[in-house]
Amino acid sequence: MSPRLRRWTPRTLRGRITAAYLAALVVTLGVFGMVGSALLVHNLRAADTDEVTARLGDLAAAVQAGDLTPVDRDPFAQVITRDLVTARSSAAPSSPVLTDAELARAQQGQIVVHKRVPGLGSDAVLVATPLSPERVAVAGSSLDSVNEVSRRLVVGVAISVPLLVLLLTLGVRRLVGTALRPVAGLTAEAQEISTADPGERLPVPPGDDEVAALARTLNGMLDRIAAASRRERSFLDAAAHELRTPVAALRAELEVGLAAEGERDARLALRGALREADRLGRLTTDMLTLARAGAGEVPLERVPTDVTDRIRATAARVATVYALAVEITGEEVVADVDPVRLDQVVTNLLANAAQAGARHVAVRVGEPLVLVVDDDGPGFPRALLPLKFRDSDAPGLGLTIVDMVARAHGGELVVGNDSPLGGARVTVRLSAP
């Protein structure tokens, strides 16, 4: 679209609808006006031709019977023998109204000719029929009245069509404005909705029309935006809370290490700093996973994995950092899982148990792929059970990550306080693809 044409394109929906209707109306009325006028004129000329043909039939029958009286009384008639007029009405000229070529054709059969004829005006219809091999009867009629009707019709169409187009366009513009008024109201209401009141919604008009469906759709979108905003605030609050503790602890451990006088105290401080650095790394990985999951499912790269061996290696590393006693039991399981995500699951479960105060953790691996983690800590607060890992009540980011990884693998996460060690029990089920 050229810049000039774009400049004249209506910007509002009502303007575009009105412009489209106006264009369609002009084309439709123009086509129907021209076609209708042409058909009317054609029918009028055909009616005149039929009337002249009927007159000529009566006239020819009388002349062949030897009665020339109908010729004298006819509005316009001639009897032409060879190239001479042998009988005519008072309005007809004394010379033949047919040319030699037309006369020769008429001697072969009936013909209809439209042309200028003296006595009939600038436009006339002539009908000629043979009476004998050398004799032809001709009758005619003026078409000036038909042409006058045509001119008046064109003038009437030229005057009435623009007026009709104007009235219909104004009516449609008003009708479209009335139909779109609820949309304008929804627009105004949407502009007034404040982020300070996330529960505010658009009024839904009564009925089941498109405007009501639009209002419901917009309200559903606002609900999803509000839910996403709540999750974002919850995530930021949890992240800030989670990061504040290990940063402060890491700083404290490093200060202790710097101030330590003996090697043993320095090593203890470094071990504590290592634990907090590991915790920071885990939190960073968790937040990256949550950020990626915001646009869809958690990405997985499934490969055949010795699950039990991988769990042993990850548990040994975490146990060293947090000074945990970890016992791995169960079957030797090999499955198609994402080994990196499996590491996240084990790391988060063991680190959560350690941070809650547990000193001993038992991990049992079963078929199909199930991890049951028991600890001797205080367990989950009863007020939080059952846990909803996408709510702000979920204890930290760790279990939320475990839940997301489990669901990405087609499994589930179940938590409770029924551990035989006296603390929490967490069950993670993963499914093969």
Side-chain angles (χ1 to χ4, degrees), residues 93-381:
S94 58
S95 59
V97 293
L98 296 178
T99 65
D100 292 341
E102 293 169 347
L103 186 59
R105 289 168 49 213
Q107 289 172 350
Q108 302 298 320
Q110 182 171 296
I111 65 171
V112 177
V113 179
H114 292 88
K115 65 178 184 178
R116 181 184 180 89
V117 178
L120 291 180
S122 59
D123 191 13
V125 59
L126 298 175
V127 181
T129 189
L131 300 176
S132 66
E134 297 181 347
R135 201 178 188 193
V136 174
V138 182
S141 177
S142 174
L143 295 176
D144 287 344
S145 60
V146 174
N147 294 333
E148 180 62 23
V149 170
S150 175
R151 284 192 293 270
R152 291 181 180 179
L153 182 62
V154 170
V155 172
V157 169
I159 294 175
S160 61
V161 167
L163 181 61
L164 180 62
V165 167
L166 177 62
L167 293 177
L168 290 177
T169 301
L170 292 176
V172 167
R173 181 177 176 83
R174 184 179 181 86
L175 181 63
V176 171
T178 301
L180 294 178
R181 190 173 296 126
V183 178
L186 289 177
T187 302
E189 290 284 348
Q191 290 174 342
E192 294 178 0
I193 289 180
S194 171
T195 56
D197 185 7
E200 190 175 358
R201 294 295 178 266
L202 297 174
V204 179
D208 294 324
D209 58 6
E210 291 81 359
V211 177
L214 174 62
R216 288 191 291 269
T217 301
L218 291 176
N219 282 338
M221 180 187 68
L222 291 174
D223 290 338
R224 292 190 294 273
I225 292 175
S229 179
R230 287 194 300 270
R231 288 195 298 269
E232 182 180 1
R233 287 196 300 270
S234 174
F235 169 74
L236 292 176
D237 291 343
H241 175 75
E242 294 280 354
L243 289 173
R244 187 183 302 114
T245 301
V247 168
L250 178 60
R251 182 182 179 85
E253 294 289 354
L254 291 175
E255 289 176 350
V256 170
L258 289 174
E261 296 181 357
E263 180 179 351
R264 182 175 179 279
D265 292 338
R267 290 182 63 83
L268 288 176
L270 288 176
R271 184 182 294 276
L274 177 62
R275 182 171 57 251
E276 299 304 329
D278 183 82
R279 184 177 176 185
L280 280 173
R282 179 173 58 86
L283 288 173
T284 303
T285 303
D286 288 349
M287 286 187 285
L288 179 60
T289 300
L290 285 173
R292 289 177 176 174
E297 295 294 331
V298 177
L300 296 180
E301 294 185 8
R302 291 178 181 262
V303 295
T305 304
D306 187 332
V307 175
T308 308
D309 185 66
R310 187 93 183 189
I311 291 174
R312 288 194 186 97
T314 304
R317 177 181 58 81
V318 178
T320 300
V321 173
Y322 289 96
L324 272 177
V326 181
E327 179 185 2
I328 310 295
T329 60
E331 306 174 17
E332 296 294 325
V333 177
V334 176
D336 287 341
V337 297
D338 188 324
V340 175
R341 301 301 180 196
L342 180 63
D343 291 346
Q344 277 186 289
V345 169
V346 176
T347 300
N348 277 296
L349 292 179
L350 296 182
N352 279 359
Q355 291 166 14
R359 290 292 176 265
H360 184 268
V361 177
V363 180
R364 178 169 54 85
V365 183
E367 286 275 13
L369 185 50
V370 177
L371 278 71
V372 180
V373 180
D374 292 303
D375 66 54
D376 60 353
F380 294 104

Side-chain angles (χ1 to χ4, degrees), residues 40-53 114 143:
L40 177 60
V41 172
H42 173 77
N43 290 336
L44 291 176
R45 294 172 72 92
D48 274 10
T49 302
D50 293 342
E51 188 268 334
V52 173
T53 302
H114 292 88
L143 295 176

